[in-house]
């Protein structure tokens, strides 16, 4: 499985970046579209049997650019949508640290049980992402597939694959259109490549 984060939106490119969970459904920015095209070029030689994405526009648009090279439809999964970041939607991390100091600290200390205020915990995201991604891989044994999802979805899932706590999983980087390669064999998942971005040149 090639697990890919969607291309950049305006919120991703803001300085500092603005949180966009499932509460906003932004399209790709011009830079994000370029990233998707560069990722499609990278994936062109791969014999993909299927491609999936979250139901959110930024993920679907990225997946559609990749799928066009292979003549494949894009299947969508609602369980792969980005985390519900609740009251923190549209805020930056410095703003959150200042205005939600206690909740922010609990989130940093124990993201499995203390989530985004009014939203999900990272533990909840991990459980739905893991169930869905493992189900997708089981349905495509012996095949190569691509899945386009989101930063928190990918990081929480990869933390589980690597045996990391969700607190430690925060250190896993997922750049826009970064590519992770995973192998599912004998009911076990192994990470082969983490956050490859060498194909992104602009």
């Amino acid at each position: 499985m090639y697990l890919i984060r969607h291309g950049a939106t305006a919120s991703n490119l803001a300085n500092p970046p603005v949180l966009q969970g499932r509460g906003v459904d932004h399209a790709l920015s011009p830079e994000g579209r370029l990233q998707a095209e560069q990722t499609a070029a990278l994936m062109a030689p791969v014999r993909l049997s299927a491609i999936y994405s979250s139901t959110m526009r930024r993920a679907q648009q990225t997946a559609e650019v990749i799928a066009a090279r292979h003549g494949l439809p894009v299947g969508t999964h609602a369980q792969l949508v980005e985390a519900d970041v609740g009251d923190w939607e549209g805020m930056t991390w410095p703003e959150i640290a200042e205005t939600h100091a206690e909740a922010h600290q609990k989130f940093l200390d124990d993201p499995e049980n203390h989530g985004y205020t009014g939203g999900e915990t990272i533990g909840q995201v991990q459980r739905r992402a893991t169930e869905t991604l493992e189900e997708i891989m089981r349905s495509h044994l012996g095949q190569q597939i691509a899945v386009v999802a989101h930063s928190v979805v990918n990081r929480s899932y990869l933390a589980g694959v690597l045996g990391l706590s969700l607190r430690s999983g925060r250190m896993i980087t997922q750049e826009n259109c970064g590519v992770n390669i995973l192998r599912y064999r004998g009911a076990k998942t192994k990470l082969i490549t983490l956050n490859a971005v060498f194909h992104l040149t602009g």
Side-chain angles (χ1 to χ4, degrees), residues 154-178:
N154 290 5
R155 285 192 290 112
S156 63
Y157 173 66
L158 292 169
V161 171
L162 294 170
L164 299 175
S165 69
L166 289 176
R167 181 178 179 182
S168 298
R170 191 180 302 114
M171 296 183 293
I172 296 174
T173 299
Q174 289 292 279
E175 301 287 352
N176 290 112
C177 276

Side-chain angles (χ1 to χ4, degrees), residues 29-196:
S29 67
E31 182 172 332
R33 173 68 62 170
L34 174 61
Q35 291 170 336
E37 291 170 352
Q38 291 171 334
T39 306
L42 173 73
M43 299 290 295
V46 179
R47 297 183 64 181
L48 291 178
S49 297
I51 182 164
Y52 299 94
S53 84
S54 109
T55 53
M56 304 199 76
R57 183 160 46 162
R58 54 193 184 267
Q60 286 192 63
Q61 288 179 335
T62 304
E64 286 165 0
V65 174
I66 298 169
R69 297 279 188 121
H70 301 269
L72 292 170
V74 176
T76 57
H77 281 268
Q79 292 301 308
L80 295 177
V81 299
E82 183 58 300
D84 181 352
V85 301
D87 298 343
W88 299 355
E89 189 79 70
M91 301 179 69
T92 66
W93 284 112
E95 290 172 340
I96 293 164
E98 181 177 349
T99 60
H100 296 77
E102 183 177 354
H104 178 246
Q105 191 58 55
K106 288 181 178 179
F107 175 81
L108 294 179
D109 291 341
D110 185 8
E112 183 168 0
N113 298 301
H114 293 280
Y116 304 93
T117 300
E120 288 183 289
T121 67
I122 304 300
Q124 289 172 321
V125 177
Q126 184 185 58
R127 286 188 287 275
R128 63 176 169 83
T130 300
E131 179 179 352
T132 303
L133 291 170
E134 300 280 321
E135 179 183 335
I136 289 172
M137 287 192 287
R138 284 195 298 271
S139 69
H140 289 282
L141 295 177
Q143 298 177 330
Q144 297 184 83
I145 59 171
V147 178
V148 181
H150 302 267
S151 177
V152 180
V153 170
N154 290 5
R155 285 192 290 112
S156 63
Y157 173 66
L158 292 169
V161 171
L162 294 170
L164 299 175
S165 69
L166 289 176
R167 181 178 179 182
S168 298
R170 191 180 302 114
M171 296 183 293
I172 296 174
T173 299
Q174 289 292 279
E175 301 287 352
N176 290 112
C177 276
V179 178
N180 310 281
I181 304 175
L182 300 108
R183 178 181 295 140
Y184 184 82
R185 179 182 293 166
K188 293 184 178 180
T189 305
K190 180 179 181 180
L191 179 66
I192 307 299
T193 301
L194 176 65
N195 193 47

